[in-house]
Every structure is written in structure tokens, then in C-alpha cells.
Amino acid sequence: MAHSHKHDTPVETGPSSKLISLVAQFDDPHSLVAACDRAREAGYKKMDAYSPFPVHGIDDAIGIRRTRLPFFVLAVGLGACAFALLLQYYVNATDESPIFPGYKFFISGKPLFSLPANIPVTFEIIVLSSAFATFFGMWYLNGLPRFANPLHRLPMFRRVTNDKFFLVLEAEDEKFSESRSRQQLEEWGAKAIEECHEDLTDQKIPNGFRLAGIVFLFALLLPPALIYRVSGMTYRQPRLHVVPDMDWQDRYNTQTRGPNIGTPESPRYLFADGRAMQRPVSGTIARGDLTESDEYFRGYKTGTLPVSEGAGPSAQDQDGQDQDGMATGTTPEPEWVDGFPEEVVVNTDFLKRGKQRFEIYCVACHGYDGNGEGLVNQRAVALAAAGEAAWTAAKSLHDPAVKAQPIGRIFDTISNGRATMGPYKDQIPVKDRWAITAYVRALQATGIRTPQELAEANSATPEAGQ
Ligand code: HEC
């Protein structure tokens, strides 16, 4: 306030100003509290106390009631709740309305209106309006906004931030009468009393503000007017198109006939076949997509793929499905590689990688030791035993039949699946599949026994248990 008022001259009392309060100055907090007590007892309601620091007990002394803000916010929140629910009911579940027709929104046969589905919007609207109610309610209850507080014009009042204490009786109070209130204040120990006037000539809002306000009010009418205008129209284009991207650019849509660049009578297309999108030239391979080496990519020796009409081995089929249930051996198979292809270098890191991938992709069924007793298998076997599921137990990788398989065949099992086991070539890159193969071989080399072998060993020579 120090720089906002250059003139220290008291405001002159005339028809252009109005008495709004009497300001009494006290020297210490005790006399202020005592005076406040007296004022409250005398029946004053509209008064306020000002001090350089918080004074204990002052709230009770001037009889400040708890704020009404919470009730206000509660009322607004309840209103918002009702509004949000009605709004959603209206826009989603009705279509009879003369002005803005709603729309019956059928989604997968769900009810048009159901409370749980409408909670999020309701919640958000309640939170938003309550926040606004709190914020603006606080302003309103504090009498804000106002350009300035007339109290700040009293030179005496300046010391309120320093060493003086003030009691202000407002002229609006029923008990207020200028002479009697002044007398009472003196009785209650006021050291100085001044009148506070509001300068009525200052009340005018500057013309610029007025104009801006009027323009703003009219602008507020625009959105509803626009909404009303378009509510009955059909558009092919989005109503708002902030980032146009390539949307309006000349282009051909994929999977369509290319646009006619001739005449309707004699159509002519960019490409002879009329397709907008051309298929890849046959026989071409995209960079990095060449999977030439049969050994590395498919696990068999080149040129050993049996040529049978229709069903070849799964390695050649795009979908490994038509292999189903066929006992191995009856299907003609290529000659599987029995060593790792030259692209693969088997070392400790490679085995570690294989172990890690094995634990991600295989352990669920085959178990950590590869004996086919992973959690999924245990559960499925239990369900199958109860007649609740059909399940072929995951094979033990230590089964002699599996152990005897060439490396390429294990690679093929991982890639394309085998019998009831699904294929993993889409999830696991070639190199990792070889790493897993290497790890399976390492597991097999550990000499872990299959459950059957264990059972047999245990029954034959009890002391030879693993
Ligand atoms: C969802 C369970 C499941 C997962 C995961 C799984 N398998 Fe299998 N696997 C099976 C089942 C079941 C069989 C037995 C298939 C049959 O005989 O019908 C099997 C069989 C096998 C066989 C023997 C195939 C043959 O020649 O009979 C090998 C080898 C094998 N799996 C390796 C793996 C490897 C390596 C992984 C990890 C990449 C893996 N499996 C992941 C369920 C699974």
C-alpha cells in the first residue's frame, strides 16, 4: 500500500463519499481483545479486528462463526451430481427432445443407463464444480474482487502492519450509530478513532473494462448458437481439424481401385491393373529378409525336404497346424542338421542366453529341469485328471526319444511346434531359438532322469535314488 497512495490527505467528506466504518486504534492486543469482547456483548455483528500478528482468542472475541463455505460446496457438489447423471441420461438414453435431440446409445446390448458406467463422468463433474465452488465461493464470501480496501487510505491504519491494533465497526451493522458507536469505542479504551469513507466517485468501472465485459458476454452466446446451428447438420469432415496431417492430400487409399484419372466413360487408372497399391514384385526380397540358409533358418540340410503332394513337414508350412496329432515318423521329414549351423557360435554367453530364454518360454510347461513338470503342466494335468480339461502332458526333454533327436529337429519343434505343442517362431528370433536348442542339449547332458526312470530306479535299487 505504500506506493499505491501518494496522497496522505484524508478523504474529504462530501456527497461523493459515504461513511462505511469507524476505525478504532488500540495500543496492545489485550485491550483490542477486551474491546472486541465489549463490542460483541453490545450486540455488534459486523465488525473486524486487525493486528500485526495473529492474536489468540480474537476469533471468539469478535464472534466469528465458522465459514459457510463447506455447505455451499456440498450444495454445489450435489447439484453437479444430479446434473451429470441427468446429462448422461439425456445424451445416452433418450432421443425425444424438440431442441437438442439426445441419442440412444446401444453398446453391446448393455443398458442405456446404468449407474456404474456413469460414475466416472459424474465424479469428474462433481470434482470440477466443487473446486470452482470452493475457489469462487471463497472470493464471494470475502467480498472479492474489489479494487481497493478503503481502510488502506487511512494514514493511521498503516501501522497495522507494525505496532498498532484496530477494531473496525461497520456502518452496516444494525447497532451502529455514528455518535453512539464513537462514544462506546472511547469507553472501551480506543486511543484514536477515525472515520473510514468510501469514495463514491471512485466506484465507476473504467470504460474499457465495461466494453470488454460486454463483448465477453456476447461472445459467451456464440458457442451455444454454433452448437444449435450444427446440431441438425451432417458433416463429412471433422468439425475441428487442428492438425490436418495428410488428410486432404491427393493420395490413393490402400486396398482400393486407384482413382479414375480418365473419364467416367473411358476409365483410366494409374496402374494397368487398376489397383491403387501394387503387390511386391514376385521373387524380390526385402533387405534383411533373406532367409536362404536352410540349416540356420529351418534346421535341415538343404535339398533334403521331402517332396510330397500337399502336406510337407511343418518346417515348410506357413502354419504348423496341419501336422496335428500325426505320430512322428509317419510324416516324411527332411534330414535334420546334427550340429549347430555355422552362423551359431556356442559359448558360455550363448548358453546363458539360451537358459534365460528357456526360462521365459519353456519352463511354464517343461519345468526348470526340463522334465515336463512346469506349473502349467501340473495344473493342466490336475484339471485333466478331474475331467475338466483335455491335456497332453508336456514331454520330458530327457526322454530317450527326445535325447536321440538331432539338434535341427529340436530347433524345428521350437519353431513350428510339434503335435499339441504350439509354435514359437513368431515370438522368438532365430538366434534365440538356437540358443534355447543349445541349452536343451546342455540340460540333456546333465544326466537328469525322467520321472519314469526315477520311479524304476527307486523300485529296483532303493539306495540308487537321485
Ligand atoms: C504351453 C506348454 C508348452 C510350452 C510353453 C513349451 N512346450 Fe514343448 N511341449 C509341450 C507339450 C504338451 C509337448 C508334447 C506334445 C505332444 O506330444 O503332443 C511338448 C513337446 C516338446 C518337445 C518334444 C517334441 C517331440 O519330438 O515329441 C520338445 C523338444 C519341446 N517340447 C521343447 C520345448 C521348448 C524348447 C520350449 C520353449 C521354447 C517348449 N517346448 C515350450 C508343451 C509346451
Side-chain angles (χ1 to χ4, degrees):
M1 66 183 180
H3 37 249
S4 57
H5 300 286
K6 287 162 227 129
H7 321 287
D8 281 353
T9 45
V11 179
E12 69 294 345
T13 4
S16 60
S17 70
K18 167 180 120 188
L19 176 69
I20 54 167
S21 56
L22 275 182
V23 183
Q25 177 193 308
F26 296 86
D27 281 346
D28 59 278
H30 307 291
S31 43
L32 175 69
V33 174
C36 289
D37 277 332
R38 303 282 302 270
R40 194 189 69 246
E41 282 155 15
Y44 286 95
K45 294 229 157 53
K46 298 192 169 162
M47 57 174 163
D48 208 348
Y50 299 83
S51 58
F53 49 80
V55 175
H56 288 291
I58 198 79
D59 288 2
D60 293 336
I62 52 176
I64 286 187
R65 280 163 301 141
R66 275 186 59 105
T67 170
R68 285 168 292 152
L69 194 56
F71 299 102
F72 179 62
V73 175
L74 178 69
V76 170
L78 290 176
C81 176
F83 169 78
L85 289 174
L86 282 175
L87 176 75
Q88 290 176 92
Y89 178 76
Y90 168 63
V91 296
N92 291 339
T94 63
D95 55 11
E96 318 84 16
S97 161
I99 325 173
F100 296 123
Y103 187 85
K104 280 194 176 154
F105 231 124
F106 292 102
I107 300 163
S108 326
K110 289 173 187 136
L112 287 172
F113 185 82
S114 120
L115 204 52
N118 294 313
I119 291 297
V121 169
T122 313
F123 171 78
E124 296 295 343
I125 292 189
I126 292 178
V127 169
L128 181 74
S129 352
S130 307
F132 277 140
T134 316
F135 185 72
F136 292 110
M138 183 275 291
W139 281 59
Y140 173 76
L141 291 178
N142 281 323
L144 297 171
R146 59 197 289 186
F147 294 125
N149 187 336
L151 274 178
H152 290 162
R153 302 203 175 181
L154 298 181
M156 175 180 87
F157 192 71
R158 293 192 171 181
R159 288 178 73 177
V160 75
T161 58
N162 189 3
D163 60 350
K164 295 293 183 203
F165 302 80
F166 294 89
L167 171 60
V168 175
L169 297 181
E170 288 179 18
E172 275 182 11
D173 198 293
E174 284 169 13
K175 294 270 166 182
F176 188 89
S177 106
E178 199 183 335
S179 52
R180 197 163 52 91
S181 298
R182 177 182 285 272
Q183 198 188 331
Q184 282 172 322
L185 283 171
E186 273 163 11
E187 254 171 53
W188 301 336
K191 288 279 148 42
I193 298 173
E194 268 185 33
E195 293 173 0
C196 177
H197 291 268
E198 192 168 35
D199 190 346
L200 294 178
T201 55
D202 251 14
Q203 293 282 301
K204 265 184 63 187
I205 301 172
N207 277 341
F209 279 102
R210 253 171 223 265
L211 191 67
I214 292 170
V215 169
F216 179 70
L217 283 183
F218 274 102
L220 281 185
L221 292 176
L222 271 177
L226 285 177
I227 292 174
Y228 182 71
R229 196 176 79 93
V230 298
S231 65
M233 291 184 173
T234 21
Y235 275 101
R236 295 197 152 270
Q237 295 159 6
R239 297 199 170 141
L240 277 181
H241 207 250
V242 185
V243 183
D245 291 329
M246 292 168 70
D247 294 352
W248 310 139
Q249 191 165 317
D250 280 346
R251 78 200 191 285
Y252 302 150
N253 286 337
T254 53
Q255 316 289 359
T256 59
R257 184 182 274 261
N260 188 357
I261 52 176
T263 59
E265 296 81 45
S266 58
R268 200 159 61 81
Y269 299 102
L270 191 64
F271 295 109
D273 61 1
R275 289 175 198 252
M277 184 176 133
Q278 295 297 291
R279 302 159 87 192
V281 179
S282 64
T284 53
I285 291 168
R287 233 170 234 268
D289 279 4
L290 180 64
T291 56
E292 199 177 30
S293 156
D294 284 331
E295 280 87 351
Y296 181 56
F297 289 100
R298 288 169 283 276
Y300 57 77
K301 294 180 183 154
T302 308
T304 62
L305 197 61
V307 217
S308 59
E309 18 38 272
S314 55
Q316 195 194 28
D317 288 350
Q318 279 309 296
D319 53 25
Q321 298 297 9
D322 40 17
Q323 278 268 310
D324 58 336
M326 277 202 148
T328 40
T330 59
T331 323
E333 292 192 9
E335 196 179 323
W336 303 109
V337 294
D338 207 8
F340 288 93
E342 56 184 15
E343 288 88 343
V344 172
V345 181
V346 182
N347 54 24
T348 322
D349 284 343
F350 195 65
L351 278 177
K352 275 190 186 149
R353 172 79 182 169
K355 175 173 193 286
Q356 190 219 21
R357 298 288 109 176
F358 182 86
E359 283 167 6
I360 292 172
Y361 290 105
C362 318
V363 158
C365 295
H366 286 282
Y368 280 93
D369 62 0
N371 248 333
E373 292 171 332
L375 281 179
V376 167
N377 191 67
Q378 286 173 26
R379 171 85 176 135
V381 165
L383 284 181
E388 288 171 45
W391 175 256
T392 308
K395 215 169 239 176
S396 167
L397 303 178
H398 305 287
D399 189 301
V402 179
K403 268 179 155 171
Q405 289 175 9
I407 269 180
R409 194 172 190 281
I410 294 191
F411 175 84
D412 180 66
T413 301
I414 302 173
S415 306
N416 299 298
R418 177 91 46 210
T420 52
M421 179 181 142
Y424 284 85
K425 70 166 172 281
D426 291 334
Q427 293 96 313
I428 316 178
V430 191
K431 195 151 184 210
D432 284 343
R433 273 180 264 149
W434 280 114
I436 295 177
T437 310
Y439 183 67
V440 168
R441 268 288 186 263
L443 267 185
Q444 290 172 338
T446 55
I448 292 176
R449 298 197 228 174
T450 63
Q452 298 93 294
E453 287 171 334
L454 268 182
E456 281 162 22
N458 281 339
S459 57
T461 46
E463 71 279 358
Q466 193 192 16

